[in-house]
């Protein structure tokens, strides 16, 4: 889900920029993780039933805590990847806790140039979703079936590179100097 906020006059937003929020619903992330794990596990075939069983139960009680921690970590990585758009000042007496607590939605608050396209934000939302899903499956497989983990790390890295590419895309109009003839 994508939400666009107010124009340049909002607090904490530079002139010429807009606030946007990318929202990643935990249940949707877990649903995709379960689906991908099911498919991956069944591709392995009958000869690898134990590994298949372990993968298919990735989001079952107890296991989902590890997946949740991974999603929290990958969410933080996504925020950091988008640093120019997500930077926030540290408050006085800032406290950050590692308590096991999973939100219903993982959000990313952005301050983007006013010229950034809504379609770019939609693409960014989908890429980050894929990044989070692939990294969660990679983490799980790196523990339970390391031989199969590399494919998912590759998928995560591919999404991460595309996310970084969007960050570096020029979002302002190109102004060419006039040349006297």
């Amino acid at each position: 889900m994508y939400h666009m906020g107010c124009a340049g006059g909002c607090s904490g937003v530079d002139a010429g920029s807009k606030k946007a929020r990318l929202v990643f619903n935990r249940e949707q992330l877990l649903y995709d993780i379960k689906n991908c794990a099911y498919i991956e596990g069944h591709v392995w075939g009958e000869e690898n039933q134990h590994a298949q069983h372990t993968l298919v139960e990735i989001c079952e009680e107890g296991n989902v805590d590890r997946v949740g921690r991974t999603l929290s970590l990958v969410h933080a990585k996504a925020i950091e990847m988008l640093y120019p758009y997500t930077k926030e000042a540290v408050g006085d007496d800032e406290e950050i806790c590692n308590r096991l607590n999973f939100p219903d939605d993982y959000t990313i608050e952005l301050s983007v140039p006013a010229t950034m396209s809504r379609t770019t934000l939609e693409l960014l939302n989908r890429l980050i979703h894929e990044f989070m899903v692939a990294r969660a499956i990679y983490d799980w497989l790196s523990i339970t079936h390391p031989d199969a983990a590399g494919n998912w790390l590759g998928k995560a890295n591919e999404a991460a590179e595309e996310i970084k590419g969007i960050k570096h895309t020029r979002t302002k109009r190109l102004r060419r100097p006039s040349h006297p003839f």
Side-chain angles (χ1 to χ4, degrees):
M1 177 181 277
Y2 157 82
H3 298 283
M4 191 68 175
C6 53
C10 297
S11 68
V13 181
D14 298 332
S17 65
K18 294 187 176 189
K19 286 194 67 95
R21 179 180 303 118
L22 303 177
V23 180
F24 307 93
N25 180 265
R26 177 178 166 79
E27 290 304 315
Q28 291 296 307
L29 290 164
L30 294 176
Y31 178 82
D32 282 356
I33 290 166
K34 285 184 223 180
N35 277 343
C36 290
Y38 179 84
I39 293 165
E40 177 78 20
H42 281 77
V43 167
W44 294 346
E46 296 297 319
E47 65 277 355
N48 214 342
Q49 276 191 323
H50 178 68
Q52 180 185 52
H53 177 74
T54 304
L55 177 59
V56 170
E57 293 188 348
I58 188 172
C59 291
E60 298 300 317
E61 189 174 340
N63 299 343
V64 75
D65 292 341
R66 176 63 197 169
V67 172
R69 286 219 188 255
T70 302
L71 287 174
S72 294
L73 172 63
V74 176
H75 173 247
K77 284 183 179 187
I79 292 171
E80 195 63 23
M81 275 193 284
L82 295 170
Y83 173 74
Y85 303 134
T86 59
K87 62 183 175 181
E88 292 182 35
V90 174
D92 290 336
D93 285 338
E94 189 82 34
E95 182 176 292
I96 299 171
C97 179
N98 72 336
R99 186 173 302 117
L100 190 62
N101 180 19
F102 306 121
D104 291 335
D105 294 315
Y106 297 90
T107 61
I108 299 178
E109 302 284 339
L110 302 161
S111 176
V112 298
T115 56
M116 182 175 273
S117 167
R118 184 177 200 286
T119 58
T120 300
L121 290 173
E122 289 174 356
L123 175 60
L124 193 56
N125 185 276
R126 287 169 175 81
L127 286 169
I128 293 170
H129 178 96
E130 290 301 310
F131 175 64
M132 292 176 77
V133 168
R135 279 301 300 258
I137 295 171
Y138 161 73
D139 179 75
W140 188 257
L141 286 173
S142 71
I143 297 166
T144 63
H145 196 65
D147 294 342
N151 181 46
W152 290 95
L153 180 59
K155 288 177 183 293
N157 288 342
E158 183 179 320
E161 288 304 312
E162 289 187 54
I163 292 164
K164 291 175 189 173
I166 288 172
K167 178 178 71 173
H168 297 300
T169 300
R170 184 182 344 114
T171 55
K172 294 184 180 179
R173 280 185 279 164
L174 178 63
R175 295 185 182 213
R176 294 189 177 154
S178 57
H179 297 294
F181 288 90

